[in-house]
Amino acid sequence: MVQEKIRFQPFSGEPIRLVDEQGHWVASFEHGLPPEQLRRFYRDMLAARILDEKLVILIRTGKTSFIAPHAGHEAAQVGIAHALRKGHDWLFPYYRDMGLVMTLGVPLVEIFGQTLGNAADPAKGRQMPSHPGSKKLNIFTVCSAIASHIPPAAGAAISMKFRRSGQVAVCTFGDGATSEGDWHAGINFAAVQGAPAVFVCENNRYAISVNISKQTASENIAVKAHAYGIPGYHVDGLDVLASYFVMQEVIERARAGHGACLVELVVNRFGAHSSADDDSRYRSREELAAERQHDPLVRYQRFLEKQGLWDANWANELKLEISKELEAALQEALQAGEPDPLEMFDDVFAARPWHLEEQRQLLAEELR
Ligand SMILES: Cc1ncc(C[n+]2csc(CCOP(=O)(O)OP(=O)(O)O)c2C)c(N)n1
């Protein structure tokens, strides 16, 4: 078993933070990252923010039926994506992870196709919008039922251990998921089996309208790891470098055979829970305005400025470039057209049962 360099201690009272609100590096170690990578994090966070804005437009113009805004989660999601070994490790995401799957490399046309539920969607419109997946990139398809992906992530991690595949299963969810039985069962099983699983809570302190104060009596989410005998890391998820460095350390810790762990990335949710929610009914506009003062993009911009790596011209050009790229992908996805209704019978059974075959033929005749 390789003992890797340990920088972070679990169960810290205060959230682990490497860059403060003013953009100062406050860690006791050098980050050692090259300028291109530091700027890449900014680019990816900006792209995630612009994607969020585009998804809001798609819902307002009636082109999609559901979105789960991820603005405020960008630093956490970009940190997670960069810490994973893309296409080697497995990600078990949840519906608010559009920025995460985009950063991991899900093609933009697929992202918009999935949102539109049309022929550009690899699932051919048979999934809910904001529920992506990717066979190629080892991304488990999102499931709406809260925490139902925790046991599959534990199972995948246990299999990775048996097969000595050198992979890690990273599983994300919100704070509300921690109240589900599946959450307990899955984490307990992965922990007791010493499986390479990293469970990550993107804690935005709300489960739809339910505030964290009504969700748990625990001091924070990370301390729940005590009960399973695994480390729990409490992290400032508005700090992209803290999210990245902690995630990298714990993923490599799991890969080296030290078993499962829990990470809590404390984030903000700038939007409503989803397009089906009006958050003004339970969250004061003052509270929201105060949260908006803690924008992960602004904090990281301040950090980059201090390194001489950010200026307004560069950022504006970047914004333009990303917006054009996203718009082109959206237009391509919009042109893909409706999926063939007959595809609803595909990909469910290896050999289609007789009754579905009969129904498929009936529909085919109807369509003719
Ligand atoms: C088993 C189950 N119960 C209830 C719901 C309805 N529901 C959808 S999202 C949600 C809140 C989840 O909140 P959280 O886990 O904190 O994640 P967030 O949406 O805040 O990122 C609920 C209760 C569901 N999808 N599945």
Side-chain angles (χ1 to χ4, degrees), residues 68 73 94-96 143-148 173-178 180 201-210 215 269 273:
H73 285 235
Y94 83 124
Y95 49 78
R96 206 175 299 286
C143 178
S144 290
I146 300 295
S148 64
F173 45 84
D175 41 300
T178 67
E180 286 288 344
C201 181
E202 293 178 38
N203 177 9
N204 59 28
R205 299 178 303 281
Y206 276 98
I208 314 184
S209 58
V210 177
Q215 192 72 246
R269 194 193 83 196
H273 166 76

Side-chain angles (χ1 to χ4, degrees), residues 19-40:
V19 174
D20 70 13
E21 292 279 0
Q22 285 69 45
H24 297 110
W25 177 256
V26 292
S28 56
F29 61 90
E30 296 293 322
H31 61 70
L33 297 173
E36 316 83 73
Q37 194 170 354
L38 292 172
R39 281 185 148 192
R40 182 76 212 185

